Structure formats: C-alpha cells, structure tokens
Amino acid sequence: MRVGRHDMTGEANTGFAGRYGALLARLLFAPILIGYAFLKVRALMGSVQADALQNFPMTQVLLYLTIGLELVGGVLIVVGFRTRLAAVVLAVFFLGVTALMVPLLGAAGGMGATYLDQIVKNLAFIGGLVLLALHGPGPISIDHRRLRMR
C-alpha cells in the first residue's frame, strides 16, 4: 500500500492510504460517540438516576448536553465538517469528564475498576481527538472541499 506524498498543508494526498485513511479513521472513530449518545437516550432515566447517585448538580441538564455534544460531534466528525473544532470541543469535554471521574477510583463495591475502565476509554478518545484536531479530516471531507473552493 502506497502512502504517497504530502501537499503543502502537510496532508498525505496520494495513494490509497493518503486518500482514504483519514476517512476510514473518522468512520471507525465517530460511531462510538454516536452510539454512546443513543445508548444514553435509550436508557435516559437509568442514566439520570445513576448520575444523581454521584451527586452531580443539574444531572438531567448535563445528560442532555452530553447526548447533544456526542451526537452532533460524532456526525460532524463522520462528514468532516468543522472537524478540528468538533475534535477540540469533544477533547475538552472528555478531559473535564475524566477529571471528574478520577476521585471516584476508590469507590466501594468494585466500582473503582469500572471508573478506571471509563478513564482509560476517555483518554483514548482524547488521544484520537487530539490527532484529528492536529491533522484534520483528510482529503475526503467537507472541510477539505471548502478549503479547495476558496
């Protein structure tokens, strides 16, 4: 598989990997965000009750904001529109959520391991989002098309 050369923006733009690699990465990354949003909607009352147990203020409002952010951010990443901005906003969001979870690591009843899993998952999300913010959506995206039209 040929990776190809870089254009003046530093993005690989030739060869299969250069042309389709970022699209494939976006298509593999975003569904987990969209999927989590739909799972939260599906189990809305259970999620609100679980969050309320952790004494988070305005739990229901925060849950709706989370659902919206994950859903809209995931869709923006899939289509490659305002990708870098969406990635930065989501990375900051996951960083905040992760910071809130750290004190819960010593939770009773074996919940500490569950929180550790969530923290590691969020760190992986943040890493992927940082890469997306730095390198952009690639040549097959609305962002790239808008850039070429200027």
Side-chain angles (χ1 to χ4, degrees), residues 26 29-44 47 51 61-79 81 85-87 89-98 101 118 121-122 125-126 129 132:
R26 290 191 339 260
F29 183 79
I32 197 162
L33 293 170
I34 296 167
Y36 275 128
F38 279 114
L39 285 174
K40 285 180 179 91
V41 168
R42 191 169 164 213
L44 188 59
S47 297
D51 289 346
V61 172
L62 291 174
L63 181 62
Y64 289 131
L65 288 173
T66 300
I67 291 168
L69 188 61
E70 288 176 346
L71 186 60
V72 170
V75 169
L76 290 174
I77 288 172
V78 166
V79 299
F81 180 70
L85 177 62
V89 168
L90 285 165
V92 169
F93 167 74
F94 279 113
L95 192 60
V97 168
T98 304
M101 294 172 120
Q118 292 295 319
K121 174 200 64 140
N122 286 359
F125 279 160
I126 294 166
L129 290 163
L132 194 56

Side-chain angles (χ1 to χ4, degrees), residues 98 101-103 105 114-124:
T98 304
M101 294 172 120
V102 170
L105 282 176
T114 300
Y115 289 116
L116 181 60
D117 287 346
Q118 292 295 319
I119 289 168
V120 171
K121 174 200 64 140
N122 286 359
L123 291 175

